[in-house]
Amino acid sequence: MNNKSYIEIEKGVKFLCVNSDKFKTNCIKVDFYLPMSEHLAAQNVLASLMGHTSKKYNTFKSFNGRIESLYGADFDTSIATIGEKIRIRFSVEIPDDRFSLDGKSIAQETVDFLIEIIKNPHCENGEFDKEATDREIRFTLQNIEAEKNDKRAFAVSRLRQLMCQGEPYGIDREKLEQDVKNLDGKKLYDAYADMLKSSTIVITACGNLDGEMVKDKFSGFVNSIADRKPADLPTIFITKADKIRYFKDEMDVNQAKLVIGLRSGMENADDSYFPFRVMTDIFGGGPYSRLFLNVREKMSLCYYCGARLLREKGIIFIQSGIEEENYEKALSEILNQLDVMKKGEFTDEDFTSSITALSDAFKGVEDSPVAVCTFYSSQVFDDSLVSGQEYAEKIASVTREQIVECAKRVSVDSVYLLAGESGDNE
């Protein structure tokens, strides 16, 4: 599966088909990338609504019935932030055509279905159907409320807002919730029109597929969109924190949440990515990491503790669940372990365990059509595509010296504590 690359089939439209007959299923992902904008609330509702109804299939029953007719296709829509880009995704996994019982092409019918629901959503005269809009607004508000109830997710979201205030990445969840409440069918349609006209569209397919068929059908669909002008997709990288900022919220929680935001020092998503990936993994990745072995196991200062690198924004988030009385000790030891990384005092065993774990993980990223599509679509804005095996080799080539240099570039930006009300964790 080497020598692959996305091709631009139309302006602002990228396409990749990874052909393989070793799988029993095929996968197609259609992604719309947009800069963060005033349409964020509508985009959240839109991603859900377009996964449930369309003009042709305007009820749950008819929509799901069509999916079932595609041999029980696994269909999903979603929205995600990738750096400061919004990605609205339509994803489907289907049986390969050789399992068709009537000789028809499951893949071709599926592509037609995807284009149908994207091109002809459940709207009329520049407005989405009111009943469908109101229903999806309720669903979206329920999801926002569910995040509030998931204190671990809430703490990360809150730190992100505080740490990145003034940056598009610093989403204000309360404002987002209010904006969702103020939506109507017209605002939703405006966001939909913007998605078609302003997005970079990425089609990624894998399996025993006719790539030319997929490419031609989507090319024809894009050519039917009037006045397309894909927007730029910038992301702000802040390489160094001026000082450490401390934040605290109180809420009815059984377990305090400590979240720390670090500026990695990366200037863009490609800046020393592989050394930064290994450095973050040794610091707070798997059960072999410094944070897990020391803060959790050796010192028993937390219930969990780990670090994650957000490559597309150049940020490292450290998450920990603690007893509030252990806040100072836990914070001190986490920062001490960061100093261990900066001084290069991690052990050879730490280094080897991380290299082995990451290499093995990347070697397995092409084990299914869905995994292949997910893996390569994550690289769509890179200069070139790297296979799982090549990723593993790049990880294995990282040196201790590179890791230390990366660690020295890291600075602590924000520390956030979600504590019990009035200092009470009950």
Side-chain angles (χ1 to χ4, degrees):
M1 292 188 182
N2 293 325
N3 302 318
K4 290 174 288 295
S5 62
Y6 279 92
I7 60 172
E8 188 169 48
I9 59 175
E10 302 293 340
K11 182 176 175 58
V13 184
K14 299 185 177 186
F15 174 75
L16 171 69
C17 184
V18 180
N19 289 110
S20 174
D21 58 5
K22 74 175 186 177
F23 303 121
K24 294 181 179 179
T25 59
N26 302 320
C27 179
I28 303 170
K29 293 185 185 293
V30 185
D31 297 332
F32 294 81
Y33 285 92
L34 294 146
M36 288 189 178
S37 70
E38 72 277 5
H39 293 303
L40 181 60
Q43 289 164 346
N44 274 269
V45 176
L46 194 65
S48 176
L49 192 155
M50 295 183 70
H52 291 149
T53 62
S54 69
K55 179 173 286 189
K56 185 174 182 179
Y57 309 106
N58 58 13
T59 66
F60 278 0
K61 183 177 180 180
S62 62
F63 194 90
N64 291 329
R66 180 56 182 137
I67 294 172
E68 285 299 317
S69 73
L70 298 171
Y71 292 80
D74 186 2
F75 172 77
D76 185 43
T77 59
S78 62
I79 185 169
T81 56
I82 312 295
E84 287 172 347
K85 298 182 282 288
I86 292 296
R87 184 192 68 203
I88 299 174
R89 168 170 284 178
F90 300 79
S91 178
V92 64
E93 184 179 17
I94 52 174
D96 186 51
D97 281 352
R98 64 182 182 270
F99 299 109
S100 172
L101 299 178
D102 55 10
K104 294 182 180 179
S105 171
I106 305 171
Q108 183 168 319
E109 289 194 23
T110 299
V111 172
D112 289 339
F113 169 72
L114 286 172
I115 292 174
E116 168 67 32
I117 64 172
I118 296 170
K119 187 176 181 179
N120 298 304
H122 194 184
C123 52
E124 198 77 47
N125 299 321
E127 290 190 29
F128 272 80
D129 177 78
K130 186 179 188 314
E131 182 180 350
T133 297
D134 291 345
R135 180 187 62 236
E136 297 299 336
I137 287 174
R138 289 196 303 272
F139 288 167
T140 302
L141 290 172
Q142 288 168 6
N143 290 335
I144 293 174
E145 188 63 31
E147 183 183 273
K148 291 180 184 177
N149 294 329
D150 180 348
K151 300 303 189 289
R152 186 169 177 172
F154 174 83
V156 175
S157 176
R158 183 76 171 118
L159 173 69
R160 169 178 170 170
Q161 175 190 345
L162 294 165
M163 175 178 172
C164 299
Q165 189 173 11
E167 304 169 48
Y169 192 71
I171 298 171
D172 184 332
R173 305 301 289 188
E174 290 187 2
K175 181 179 184 304
L176 177 65
E177 182 176 11
Q178 189 59 49
D179 288 347
V180 170
K181 291 178 180 178
N182 293 333
L183 287 173
D184 55 30
K186 175 64 169 60
K187 292 177 181 178
L188 210 59
Y189 186 84
D190 290 344
Y192 166 72
D194 183 66
M195 181 187 85
L196 292 186
K197 294 181 179 181
S198 303
S199 64
T200 292
I201 304 173
V202 179
I203 303 108
T204 312
C206 175
N208 191 26
L209 288 162
D210 180 353
E212 287 299 312
M213 178 274 293
V214 179
K215 177 172 68 69
D216 290 346
K217 282 184 175 289
F218 276 105
S219 182
F221 158 62
V222 173
N223 281 326
S224 72
I225 303 170
D227 304 320
R228 251 184 67 77
K229 187 178 180 181
D232 293 334
L233 298 168
T235 292
I236 298 170
F237 279 77
I238 296 177
T239 57
K240 188 174 180 60
D242 294 330
K243 63 179 181 179
I244 303 178
R245 296 174 292 167
Y246 296 88
F247 304 97
K248 180 179 178 180
D249 284 331
E250 292 186 351
M251 193 179 289
D252 182 15
V253 294
N254 294 318
Q255 180 190 108
K257 308 297 179 186
L258 170 61
V259 189
I260 306 170
L262 313 176
R263 301 288 183 177
S264 70
M266 296 176 69
E267 296 183 356
N268 54 61
D270 294 324
D271 180 9
S272 304
Y273 166 62
F274 292 99
F276 268 114
R277 181 66 186 270
V278 179
M279 186 276 294
T280 306
D281 193 63
I282 294 173
F283 176 51
Y288 44 78
S289 70
R290 302 291 307 181
L291 293 183
F292 184 90
L293 291 176
N294 290 276
V295 185
R296 183 184 187 277
E297 295 294 289
K298 183 178 178 180
M299 302 183 71
S300 300
L301 291 173
C302 62
Y303 299 99
Y304 62 86
C305 192
R308 179 166 62 100
L309 171 67
L310 283 73
R311 174 193 181 192
E312 298 293 340
K313 180 62 178 168
I315 285 175
I316 298 171
F317 283 148
I318 302 168
Q319 299 182 57
S320 182
I322 62 172
E323 294 294 337
E324 189 177 343
E325 59 264 28
N326 289 331
Y327 167 70
E328 295 288 351
K329 291 180 180 178
L331 175 59
S332 177
E333 185 55 29
I334 289 170
L335 298 183
N336 175 57
Q337 291 303 321
L338 181 59
D339 284 339
V340 167
M341 299 302 300
K342 292 175 180 286
K343 295 174 183 176
E345 294 176 350
F346 52 90
T347 68
D348 289 341
E349 183 179 358
D350 295 336
F351 176 73
T352 302
S353 295
S354 178
I355 293 290
T356 301
L358 288 174
S359 296
D360 289 347
F362 280 117
K363 288 175 183 177
V365 296
E366 298 181 35
D367 287 345
S368 74
V370 173
V372 170
C373 285
T374 301
F375 179 66
Y376 285 108
S377 63
S378 72
Q379 303 178 57
V380 66
F381 297 106
D382 294 352
D383 291 335
S384 60
L385 298 184
V386 179
S387 70
Q389 180 61 41
E390 290 167 333
Y391 251 80
E393 292 169 359
K394 287 180 179 292
I395 289 291
S397 68
V398 171
T399 65
R400 288 182 62 100
E401 290 74 21
Q402 289 176 312
I403 293 169
V404 173
E405 287 304 310
C406 285
K408 288 178 178 178
R409 294 167 64 181
V410 173
S411 56
V412 182
D413 186 295
S414 300
V415 176
Y416 172 78
L417 177 67
L418 178 61
E421 294 175 341
S422 300
D424 184 359
N425 283 338
E426 294 301 313

